[in-house]
Amino acid sequence: MKSKYKHKPRIAVFKFASCDGCQLSLLDAEDELLGVAEAVNIAYFPEATRAMSKGPYDIGLVEGSITTYQDAQRIQEVRRQCKTLVTIGACATAGGIQALRNWKDVDEFIRVVYATPQFISTLKLSTPIAEHVPVDFELRGCPINKHQLIELIAATLAGRKPNVPSYSVCIECKRKANVCIAVTRGIPCLGPVTQAGCGALCPSYDRGCYGCYGPMESPNTAALTSQFRILGETDSQLARAFRGFNAWAWQFRRASEECERT
Amino acid sequence: MTGRGARTIRVDTLARVEGEGSLYIKLVGERVADVKLKIYEPPRFFEAFLRGRHFSEAPDITARICGICPIAYQMSAVHAIERALGVRIDLRFACFVDFFTVASGSRATPCMSTCCTRPISSAART
């Protein structure tokens, strides 16, 4: 990996409210991991190593959303410690599946789930990192694509923009020569409004896309919802389709709220 | 060391599990005098927001409880749905599901949470 840094750059991985899966993608990059370890100094990565060095760091990877007062404070300190801050995954970039609380009464959620609610402290909203601090790049996905993560690290080291496309899943289907399941079989598919990155995984197995990579750069959700209605989907089904792992991304948020209103 | 014959094992980050926490064990001689387990992972409320979803959406959602062992949660949701609907699964398919579950636990960084120790279905054992 080419590097713009004169020293071996120090990389740190931080976790907020999340499932650990996106940071695990770095460890899952088995073929590239030695190359990464050669190019960077893994200074703070609790999931991988007990050896933890203090900041500042050159590159910070942040997984997870902000859901507690303590985490809202901690992300400020993380931002101060990292020259380049990158968010990885749907939780960090859009609030994650836990953002479904944002339409509900979180106190009721606490009472329903926990036997001793007095021990639980949480914020009313689950919010993406960029709502709290400036973010240099957002890598999408639930989970992220490990090849995109390696490209992101390589690009950051080289001081260039990462080659991560913002077009839709449809482009990936076309490139794989998939027959469109929405057109030919009437399967509701979020592919036209969802950002590429998964390699059109679900449509390749005859399953509709369910939006893991969040909204593509200019999604026409209104046109897609009217097409879904022609396929016989109800408004409540449509609203739920957009209320997934990227429910709080504003384009999907607006689409689900419009479906609820009709 | 916190005194004569007493020592404390401190694990500030239990990092190989999803649902992060810390563990403190105080030993006096060979005797465990105190254990503190602190879970500082923020709550995410899967049990609450699954209400009102279509049952077919549950496996994809529960898979996101833990990214280290997603299959265990996904299969737990599948088993719950099968039980709720009274579905009996073909033995060959049940074996495949159990193979899938067990194989997912043999990754390089296995999650140590209890979900991974789910007993194999009775269908597959017979």
Side-chain angles (χ1 to χ4, degrees):
Chain A
M1 286 182 181
K2 285 183 184 166
S3 178
K4 66 172 182 176
Y5 297 92
K6 293 198 175 80
H7 61 285
K8 203 172 180 182
R10 306 180 78 231
I11 194 165
V13 184
F14 302 95
K15 178 182 148 56
F16 290 83
S18 63
C19 81
D20 261 322
C22 288
Q23 48 178 315
L24 191 66
S25 300
L26 183 54
L27 298 176
D28 273 345
E30 290 154 357
D31 293 338
E32 298 84 5
L33 198 53
L34 287 176
V36 173
E38 223 165 69
V40 301
N41 175 359
I42 297 173
Y44 182 88
F45 188 3
E47 188 179 273
T49 172
R50 207 167 280 276
M52 302 176 203
S53 354
K54 288 190 172 155
Y57 311 104
D58 294 291
I59 304 165
L61 303 178
V62 177
E63 176 196 274
S65 68
I66 303 299
T67 63
T68 64
Y69 174 76
Q70 291 83 351
D71 279 354
Q73 304 290 308
R74 183 161 66 98
I75 191 61
Q76 299 296 333
E77 181 56 24
V78 166
R79 175 68 269 195
R80 276 193 286 275
Q81 294 286 335
C82 299
K83 281 181 201 146
T84 300
L85 189 79
V86 174
T87 57
I88 55 169
C91 297
T93 61
I97 190 73
Q98 58 272 18
L100 293 181
R101 81 175 67 180
N102 297 5
W103 285 272
K104 303 286 183 183
D105 172 10
V106 79
D107 292 326
E108 194 261 348
F109 270 27
I110 295 173
R111 287 195 304 275
V112 164
V113 177
Y114 292 96
T116 46
Q118 65 271 26
F119 293 143
I120 306 299
S121 79
T122 187
L123 299 172
K124 287 194 185 313
L125 298 180
S126 168
T127 44
I129 301 301
E131 281 193 27
H132 298 263
V133 295
V135 169
D136 297 294
F137 191 83
E138 293 184 315
L139 193 64
R140 303 279 200 82
C142 184
I144 56 168
N145 174 326
K146 65 181 180 182
H147 302 293
Q148 285 193 340
L149 178 63
I150 299 300
E151 159 60 14
L152 174 70
I153 293 171
T156 309
L157 292 180
R160 63 173 172 82
K161 191 172 173 283
N163 179 17
V164 174
S166 53
Y167 51 64
S168 74
V169 172
C170 290
I171 306 289
E172 294 188 311
C173 259
K174 297 294 168 286
R175 291 170 73 176
K176 289 179 87 172
N178 285 348
V179 174
C180 180
I181 54 169
V183 171
T184 61
R185 297 175 51 194
I187 296 172
C189 178
L190 285 180
V193 296
T194 301
Q195 183 168 303
C198 59
L201 185 61
C202 293
S204 301
Y205 290 94
D206 291 341
R207 193 185 162 183
C209 164
Y210 56 105
C212 301
Y213 278 65
M216 51 89 78
E217 63 178 340
S218 51
N220 191 345
T221 51
L224 188 71
T225 51
S226 45
Q227 183 59 29
F228 274 23
R229 285 194 181 97
I230 293 169
L231 294 176
E233 295 287 293
T234 63
D235 285 324
S236 117
Q237 284 172 317
L238 287 169
R240 286 206 315 274
F242 289 108
R243 296 251 169 106
F245 315 114
N246 291 279
W248 201 241
W250 71 267
Q251 299 96 327
F252 282 6
R253 189 193 327 172
R254 189 183 58 185
S256 72
E257 286 170 0
E258 277 170 4
C259 293
E260 269 187 339
R261 267 198 296 275
T262 50
Chain B
M1 298 290 274
T2 53
R4 217 173 73 172
R7 64 199 175 104
T8 304
I9 299 170
R10 288 173 62 97
V11 187
D12 291 327
T13 310
L14 292 163
R16 306 308 191 278
V17 296
E18 166 44 31
E20 294 197 333
S22 51
L23 180 68
Y24 305 99
I25 303 171
K26 191 176 175 188
L27 295 160
V28 178
E30 292 298 303
R31 196 174 60 84
V32 174
D34 193 20
V35 176
K36 284 198 179 90
L37 175 68
K38 187 179 172 191
I39 307 287
Y40 51 80
E41 175 80 21
R44 292 170 70 214
F45 304 113
F46 280 84
E47 300 91 329
F49 61 64
L50 274 167
R51 296 173 302 170
R53 303 295 296 215
H54 192 264
F55 70 84
S56 63
E57 297 164 4
D60 292 324
I61 294 176
T62 56
R64 269 69 180 188
I65 292 172
C66 174
I68 304 174
C69 60
I71 305 294
Y73 287 101
Q74 191 163 42
M75 288 303 128
S76 301
V78 169
H79 288 305
I81 293 165
E82 287 167 1
R83 191 173 295 181
L85 299 180
V87 175
R88 288 191 65 83
I89 299 298
D90 182 85
L91 175 64
R92 285 166 299 174
F93 188 70
C95 289
F96 173 73
V97 169
D98 282 335
F99 174 74
F100 189 45
T101 310
V102 173
S104 75
S106 63
R107 303 169 60 133
T109 47
C111 179
M112 301 304 287
S113 65
T114 51
C115 61
C116 291
T117 58
R118 186 188 68 82
I120 288 174
S121 77
S122 53
R125 267 185 274 138
T126 52

